[in-house]
Amino acid sequence: MTKIGLEIHCQLTNLQSKLFCSCKANYREFKINENICPICMGLPGSLPRLNQEAVKKATLIAMALNCTTPNKIAFFRKNYFYPDLPKNFQITQLNIYGDTSIGGTGSIMVGDKKINITRIQLEEDPGRLIYEGSSSKNQITLVDYNRAGTPLVEIVTEPDFENPKHVREFLNILSDLLENLGVSDPSLEGAMRADANVSIEGGKKVEVKNIGSFHDLEKAVHFEITRQNSLHDRDIAIIQETRHWDDKRKITISSRSKEEELDYRYFLEGDIPWITIDPEIREKLKLEMPESISSKKERYVSKYNIPPQVADVLSSDKFYSELFDKSHTESNAKEIANIITTDLMGLVDTREKREESKITSTHLRDLADSIQSEKISRISAKNALHEILKTGKSVADVISELDLGTVSNESELSEIIKEVITSEPEAVEQAKSNPQTINYLVGKIMQKTKGKADPKLSLDLLKQQLDDS
Amino acid sequence: MSLKISALEYVQQVQNGNIYAEDFIAKTLEHINKVDEKLHAFLSVNEDAINQARIIDKKIKSGDKVGSCFGMPISIKDNMCIKDSKTTCGSKMLENFIAPYDATVISKLKQQDAIFIGKVNLDEFAMGLTTEFSAFGPSKNPWNTEFVPGGSSGGSAVSVSAFECSMSLGSDTGGSVRNPASFCSVVGYKPTYGLISRYGLISYANSIEQIGPLTRTVKDTAFMLNMISGLDPNDNTTIDNKNVDYLSGIDSGIEGKKIGIIKEMIAEGTDPAVLSATNDAIAKLEGLGAICEEISIDMVKYSVAAYYTITATEAGSNLARYDNLRYGYDFPVEGYEFNSYISKARKKFGPEVTRRMIIGGFVPSAGHAGKYFLKAMKVKSKLTKEIDEAFKKFDFLIAPTVPILPFKLGEKINDPVALFLVDINTVTANLTGKPAISIPFTISNGLPIGMQLFADSMHDKSLLQAAYALEQTVKLPEVPI
């Protein structure tokens, strides 16, 4: 049986500062080596100053994954030389000297399968290496330390996955969960990375490192299973090793470095005293914990009668579910859910578009109310949405400026219908025997009014005129 | 105007208008110029000191608020960062390292209008107890320049003893303040772990070391503690001491106090002169109304072994950052691959640091940790338990600071094991986090002997009271400089 276990690294991107200093946790907007200080550069004499907020956020993750949370946590040093590591050791956590990591064993349901969590630890991210030069002979390595010291949470799972699809389902749930908790923005480049342990029946465990995105993780796992199966088919032994994911070629390559033989000489980080996490703090965190995705979904379905598929899509996206929760009322909830999932999600489908969009909960509420009171048709509503996203103008202004208001003036509509009947004699003839053709004629009316015709009134008037003719 | 005054006497004289900071600094610099060629306490001298003194004099004259140091010259062990000045750690590895920030103790003293007269010598990265492991040559004992001044804060002790400054800051990982204080006949203080911020002190063994003052009197030490102790957001291991005033009530005496004499610290191998000094100290304390009694702290026997195992482990990790990539000395990286570059760059470490790096790579490694590092940690916790037990019965513990007299330069440098044993009486305070003080006690054949008192954690104030009481019974000749 194929077994897959994951080690997921998630940056706490929503924090203000790094794990041990006041440099920005959001290093992405800085020029190279400008988001650094004596502490994250490990300058002689500097000491780590623990970011208490990071401890809280990591505890929140542990609780959301149903992990045990110890009363006291400790940090350890993982000693190894690497150019991206300013101190040549990483401050991290482990459980070999008792349960001192921020999260112990836990689990999460993926579909109807339970995935067990081994441990959750809080640690510092290293810097970033940039390679320049074409051949290996004249290659130079540059180091950008802006990322060094960024708070990172490592989530280690048991080898409970059986196939890449399974892995993907878990990752989708996990990244929605992390986003919903408000601890991380998984869409940021490098915010989520992973290592995978893969073994097939009768083979040794192979660790695949250096996977830079969840998208590639699924591919890497798939590649590794195929590779191991083909070895197995040819009776070649699968050895225990560490392999690296080659991002460009989309394959795994055996690491020539003897990483697995490294002795990290773990010992307690004396510069950070043991931290007591009082039960009161945990209780407080529990109260502050945002509503879980599954509970949101449940609420949307039972309270507002929103179809389960729509509720599913809406609840798993933090941005849209928050917009929904802020804008809806008892009476317009279904309409708003509909606007978000059928129109808005298509129009605003990237991070950049979300940041640029000017839409507010008020817009959504007004728009839904306008549809429900038949001031505006659904088709026009989509046009209005387009304009609101760009300009942020009020729904009333957009309707009047773009002349989107429903045409419900009977004589005006009658004139238009007359024109349609005159220009479509064939369809009119057919409509007498085939009711489907009536829809075609209504479409023509909509076309002429740019979607503004009151649909119900149009249909009534059309039927009347057809009967009269 | 004499340089031979205590720090508090300096303060008084400046306040009385008897001396000016500028004159005192000028005279100090002149004196350093004269004697330091022989003593080699200083690695660098503050070129701007006179200007700084002038500014402080102006403040005094115009009646502005002046910090409690009034421009007194303070020397700083060269393992503490002063912004924009060289911090070498006595190592070729950091020969050109210019600190871009101030250590917490430095910024606190700057606020008090101290003048940092210079950076003083130490064994490389504070590893040693003679200054002979300084990459820039040893300091000499002012009592007899053929003898070692002790270490690793040897430069601090020499500069205080030879009147090259009013006070000094050293660091004490296993006795590095108290040992040279004892050898040079000055007061040396290792506070409770966490009492003074280590931010800006270059780590050697961070879980047990502390910055500590070296002064001419116990009162001066209390004065210094008032300025530099307490909670620091930049050092998570600091303790809130509620701004205790260490000077007030320093003359409270020790009548009725119980003092334990640590048997294992006056055991075989103790120099007879040191032993008799200890007995003399006990008699004097009893004369002051204290009750003295012998006590056995069994784990002391293993303390030095545990100390070297733990410090080597931490040093191996703390000194790993010196790969010369981000700062260090001039050695271009072109043509090297990472691992070959750093192993070559790190050859700049001297022999003692190299020795401890090798030990530090071995004792905590997989397969050996159980036999060495974890065992050492066990000794540390058992020793702490024993000492905690002892403090249930006693207010203070006493032992000579060093079991032997100062020795000649070069005498023990090739015998690291013999050197290690000089630490036997000092490492206990570090391993247990307790405060300890060495005060000048007597002179034997022209060489100083210091006496050491210990107290329980956060009993620093009462420890200073006891040390002050004992200090009052001592009359010593002037240093022959």
Side-chain angles (χ1 to χ4, degrees):
Chain A
M1 195 175 72
T2 303
K3 281 185 172 180
I4 305 156
L6 302 175
E7 287 169 23
I8 292 139
H9 291 98
C10 158
Q11 287 179 342
L12 301 177
T13 59
N14 294 358
L15 284 173
Q16 284 298 308
S17 50
K18 288 184 178 178
L19 190 50
F20 301 119
C21 63
S22 47
C23 289
K24 292 275 176 280
N26 182 11
Y27 56 87
R28 290 171 180 83
E29 58 198 35
F30 286 87
K31 286 186 189 149
I32 282 178
N33 287 322
E34 284 198 347
N35 183 38
I36 56 174
C37 74
I39 297 174
C40 58
M41 281 298 276
L43 287 193
S46 68
L47 297 172
R49 191 178 56 215
L50 182 64
N51 180 344
Q52 298 292 344
E53 221 31 57
V55 174
K56 281 189 197 159
K57 294 274 191 264
T59 304
L60 213 52
I61 295 175
M63 293 193 314
L65 292 172
N66 308 301
C67 294
T68 56
T69 49
N71 294 329
K72 280 185 149 198
I73 61 161
F75 286 89
F76 284 78
R77 287 187 185 177
K78 181 180 184 180
N79 295 286
Y80 62 102
F81 285 91
Y82 211 68
D84 62 6
L85 211 54
K87 302 183 291 291
N88 284 317
F89 61 79
Q90 181 195 30
I91 301 178
T92 180
Q93 297 192 290
L94 78 164
N95 278 344
I96 55 171
Y97 301 115
D99 292 342
T100 59
S101 203
I102 203 144
T105 53
S107 67
I108 182 171
M109 293 305 291
V110 176
D112 48 12
K113 189 168 161 61
K114 189 169 160 190
I115 298 300
N116 290 293
I117 308 290
T118 315
R119 136 185 115 249
I120 293 178
Q121 61 198 48
L122 181 59
E123 61 190 27
E124 54 179 340
D125 213 350
R128 216 164 47 87
L129 299 184
I130 303 157
Y131 299 100
E132 275 187 7
S134 46
S135 75
S136 63
K137 250 190 184 162
N138 61 20
Q139 189 175 62
I140 55 167
T141 310
L142 300 169
V143 199
D144 176 10
Y145 291 103
N146 283 350
R147 193 177 74 179
T150 301
L152 202 60
V153 164
E154 179 170 336
I155 301 165
V156 183
T157 78
E158 290 293 308
D160 288 345
F161 304 94
E162 287 163 22
N163 55 55
K165 183 173 159 272
H166 206 175
V167 168
R168 187 185 60 216
E169 284 166 3
F170 169 76
L171 294 177
N172 286 342
I173 288 176
L174 182 69
S175 74
D176 288 344
L177 179 142
L178 294 170
E179 188 176 15
N180 186 57
L181 280 179
V183 296
S184 186
D185 181 349
S187 70
L188 287 173
E189 192 252 317
M192 299 280 168
R193 284 123 51 198
D195 298 342
N197 291 304
V198 181
S199 67
I200 62 166
E201 185 88 54
K204 290 264 167 55
K205 185 179 85 177
V206 174
E207 188 178 16
V208 186
K209 287 194 154 195
N210 200 31
I211 309 169
S213 73
F214 280 1
H215 184 68
D216 273 5
L217 178 61
E218 190 189 349
K219 282 189 188 163
V221 168
H222 183 78
F223 176 89
E224 193 50 32
I225 293 170
T226 314
R227 187 188 70 87
Q228 290 183 22
N229 277 329
S230 92
L231 287 179
H232 184 258
D233 290 345
R234 286 176 285 152
D235 279 334
I236 302 170
I238 298 155
I239 53 163
Q240 183 167 347
E241 64 174 337
T242 300
R243 300 177 70 85
H244 276 82
W245 174 244
D246 186 324
D247 193 33
K248 291 202 182 81
R249 293 195 282 165
K250 307 289 178 202
I251 56 171
T252 68
I253 302 165
S254 184
S255 306
R256 262 172 298 166
S257 77
K258 294 174 182 166
E259 239 167 274
E260 58 269 51
E261 289 168 32
L262 269 183
D263 177 2
Y264 294 119
R265 293 180 286 126
Y266 285 105
F267 67 90
L268 259 183
E269 171 52 274
D271 289 333
I272 305 170
W274 290 67
I275 295 126
T276 308
I277 300 177
D278 292 325
E280 300 98 79
I281 294 177
R282 265 177 288 175
E283 281 311 308
K284 204 167 156 249
L285 282 173
K286 225 175 250 172
L287 290 175
E288 287 168 9
M289 182 129 66
E291 186 184 11
S292 77
I293 291 170
S294 55
S295 139
K296 262 188 212 169
K297 182 183 166 186
E298 164 70 27
R299 180 162 58 90
Y300 294 167
V301 172
S302 64
K303 199 165 170 199
Y304 307 118
N305 206 14
I306 293 172
Q309 303 93 305
V310 175
D312 201 20
V313 174
L314 190 58
S315 61
S316 54
D317 189 301
K318 185 181 166 68
F319 178 78
Y320 288 116
S321 64
E322 276 181 1
L323 207 51
F324 173 77
D325 282 333
K326 267 193 232 154
S327 56
H328 78 264
T329 62
E330 288 279 341
S331 58
N332 66 13
K334 223 172 153 177
E335 189 64 55
I336 289 179
N338 191 35
I339 296 174
I340 292 177
T341 51
T342 56
D343 298 332
L344 194 58
M345 281 184 168
L347 290 170
V348 185
D349 56 355
T350 63
R351 184 191 159 75
E352 288 73 36
K353 287 186 193 164
R354 277 185 189 194
E355 277 168 3
E356 282 164 16
S357 93
K358 299 219 163 61
I359 195 156
T360 65
S361 51
T362 315
H363 286 127
L364 275 176
R365 189 182 309 124
D366 292 351
L367 203 57
D369 289 346
S370 300
I371 293 172
Q372 284 185 326
S373 62
E374 296 178 353
K375 274 193 202 136
I376 181 171
S377 69
R378 287 217 169 84
I379 300 170
S380 297
K382 189 169 181 178
N383 293 331
L385 208 52
H386 209 82
E387 185 66 14
I388 290 165
L389 286 172
K390 270 199 303 206
T391 64
K393 284 179 183 163
S394 75
V395 171
D397 285 354
V398 170
I399 290 177
S400 79
E401 276 174 31
L402 299 186
D403 190 21
L404 294 173
T406 310
V407 179
S408 50
N409 180 309
E410 227 172 280
S411 58
E412 197 182 326
L413 259 183
S414 293
E415 278 310 305
I416 294 166
I417 292 168
K418 251 180 218 157
E419 283 171 32
V420 170
I421 289 176
T422 322
S423 59
E424 299 279 346
E426 237 170 87
V428 169
E429 202 48 45
Q430 272 184 33
K432 284 173 182 161
S433 53
N434 181 2
Q436 286 298 321
T437 317
I438 291 183
N439 288 341
Y440 168 78
L441 290 170
V442 171
K444 283 289 162 192
I445 297 165
M446 285 298 173
Q447 218 171 33
K448 276 203 179 281
T449 58
K450 296 196 180 94
K452 295 187 296 177
D454 181 327
K456 202 168 160 288
L457 187 61
S458 301
L459 190 64
D460 289 350
L461 289 174
L462 178 66
K463 278 184 178 162
Q464 214 178 329
Q465 291 202 21
L466 286 174
D467 288 346
D468 293 351
S469 67
Chain B
M1 182 183 63
S2 168
L3 295 176
K4 298 178 181 177
I5 51 175
S6 74
L8 284 171
E9 280 163 354
Y10 169 86
V11 170
Q12 207 173 28
Q13 297 216 22
V14 175
Q15 277 178 314
N16 291 345
N18 292 346
I19 53 177
Y20 292 106
E22 185 184 342
D23 295 344
F24 198 81
I25 290 289
K27 195 162 178 194
T28 301
L29 287 171
E30 200 180 294
H31 180 62
I32 292 172
N33 218 8
K34 205 175 85 194
V35 300
D36 210 57
E37 204 171 309
K38 209 164 66 181
L39 299 174
H40 192 232
F42 285 81
L43 294 179
S44 56
V45 172
N46 180 0
E47 308 281 349
D48 194 41
I50 289 191
N51 274 330
Q52 292 167 9
R54 226 170 259 157
I55 293 166
I56 291 163
D57 278 334
K58 239 182 226 163
K59 278 210 282 191
I60 297 171
K61 219 185 242 166
S62 60
D64 288 355
K65 207 171 171 291
V66 185
S68 39
C69 282
F70 293 92
M72 94 175 44
I74 293 177
S75 75
I76 303 291
K77 188 179 185 178
D78 205 15
N79 61 352
M80 287 172 236
C81 294
I82 301 181
K83 192 173 191 281
D84 298 330
S85 72
K86 252 192 204 177
T87 301
T88 69
C89 252
S91 178
K92 293 275 181 195
M93 202 74 213
L94 290 181
E95 201 172 359
N96 298 321
F97 175 65
I98 294 179
Y101 70 102
D102 278 329
T104 298
V105 290
I106 297 299
S107 41
K108 284 189 170 185
L109 287 175
K110 274 185 179 172
Q111 277 166 25
Q112 297 299 338
D113 285 316
I115 289 177
F116 305 113
I117 195 73
K119 300 296 282 290
V120 282
N121 201 13
L122 68 159
D123 291 287
E124 185 175 4
F125 282 97
M127 297 177 195
L129 30 122
T130 64
T131 68
E132 286 167 292
F133 292 124
S134 166
F136 308 109
S139 303
K140 314 284 171 64
N141 194 320
W143 290 81
N144 184 334
T145 52
E146 282 177 26
F147 284 72
V148 300
S152 64
S153 312
S156 290
V158 172
S159 62
V160 173
S161 164
F163 306 105
E164 295 173 288
C165 60
S166 298
M167 301 197 276
S168 184
L169 287 184
S171 65
D172 191 314
T173 311
S176 278
V177 161
R178 290 161 289 154
N179 171 293
S182 172
F183 277 12
C184 294
S185 202
V186 299
V187 176
Y189 193 65
K190 201 292 281 185
T192 299
Y193 185 79
L195 196 69
I196 297 176
S197 167
R198 289 178 294 110
Y199 185 71
L201 166 71
I202 297 181
S203 290
Y204 152 29
N206 52 304
S207 78
I208 59 171
E209 67 202 0
Q210 275 286 288
I211 289 173
L214 292 100
T215 61
R216 289 194 196 107
T217 68
V218 174
K219 268 189 171 178
D220 283 357
T221 288
F223 169 57
M224 178 62 103
L225 271 190
N226 279 351
M227 295 188 285
I228 63 171
S229 60
L231 210 55
D232 176 16
N234 282 323
D235 178 354
N236 284 178
T237 65
T238 49
I239 306 167
D240 186 4
N241 67 345
K242 311 260 190 307
N243 293 321
V244 174
D245 181 355
Y246 295 96
L247 258 176
S248 74
I250 199 158
D251 54 358
S252 300
I254 48 162
E255 179 135 22
K257 300 284 184 200
K258 285 186 162 170
I259 301 176
I261 308 150
I262 305 173
K263 224 169 70 182
E264 287 76 8
M265 294 191 185
I266 42 172
E268 215 186 303
T270 306
D271 190 288
V274 173
L275 196 60
S276 97
T278 310
N279 289 331
D280 187 21
I282 292 161
K284 280 179 165 161
L285 289 165
E286 282 174 336
L288 293 166
I291 304 133
C292 299
E293 205 180 289
E294 229 173 48
I295 177 177
S296 173
I297 310 276
D298 203 38
M299 279 294 134
V300 165
K301 283 186 282 198
Y302 308 109
S303 63
V304 175
Y307 167 80
Y308 277 97
T309 306
I310 292 166
T311 54
T313 298
E314 294 190 4
S317 174
N318 286 324
L319 272 62
R321 71 190 63 190
Y322 306 114
D323 53 23
N324 214 45
L325 289 181
R326 292 159 296 274
Y327 47 83
Y329 62 94
D330 202 16
F331 175 32
V333 294
E334 278 75 27
Y336 287 95
E337 168 276 324
F338 176 66
N339 284 308
S340 58
Y341 177 80
I342 61 165
S343 57
K344 198 149 188 200
R346 284 165 65 82
K347 293 241 153 60
K348 275 269 160 143
F349 282 133
E352 182 62 15
V353 172
T354 305
R355 189 151 43 225
R356 296 195 199 188
M357 292 288 98
I358 293 168
I359 298 170
F362 177 74
V363 292
S365 62
H368 302 286
K371 211 169 161 190
Y372 300 103
F373 179 64
L374 297 175
K375 212 170 239 182
M377 291 302 280
K378 224 174 253 175
V379 170
K380 182 179 184 246
S381 88
K382 277 193 163 179
L383 178 67
T384 307
K385 227 178 246 168
E386 281 190 16
I387 292 280
D388 282 342
E389 250 345 276
F391 281 122
K392 280 184 189 156
K393 200 172 164 200
F394 297 103
D395 298 294
F396 309 107
L397 300 173
I398 187 171
T401 311
V402 189
I404 58 170
L405 292 168
F407 41 89
K408 282 190 172 163
L409 286 150
E411 193 182 317
K412 290 184 198 285
I413 191 164
N414 292 320
D415 190 355
V417 177
L419 271 179
F420 284 4
L421 288 172
V422 179
D423 291 319
I424 181 94
N425 289 4
T426 46
V427 297
T428 292
N430 303 87
L431 289 173
T432 59
K434 308 295 179 193
I437 188 167
S438 174
I439 62 162
F441 191 71
T442 187
I443 303 293
S444 168
N445 284 329
L447 294 169
I449 294 172
M451 203 49 60
Q452 184 179 213
L453 287 166
F454 305 80
D456 204 355
S457 299
M458 296 312 280
H459 288 237
D460 298 74
K461 188 177 161 96
S462 61
L463 178 60
L464 289 168
Q465 291 168 355
Y468 179 80
L470 184 59
E471 183 190 40
Q472 301 316 300
T473 69
V474 174
K475 187 89 191 107
L476 292 176
E478 200 169 275
V479 62
I481 183 87

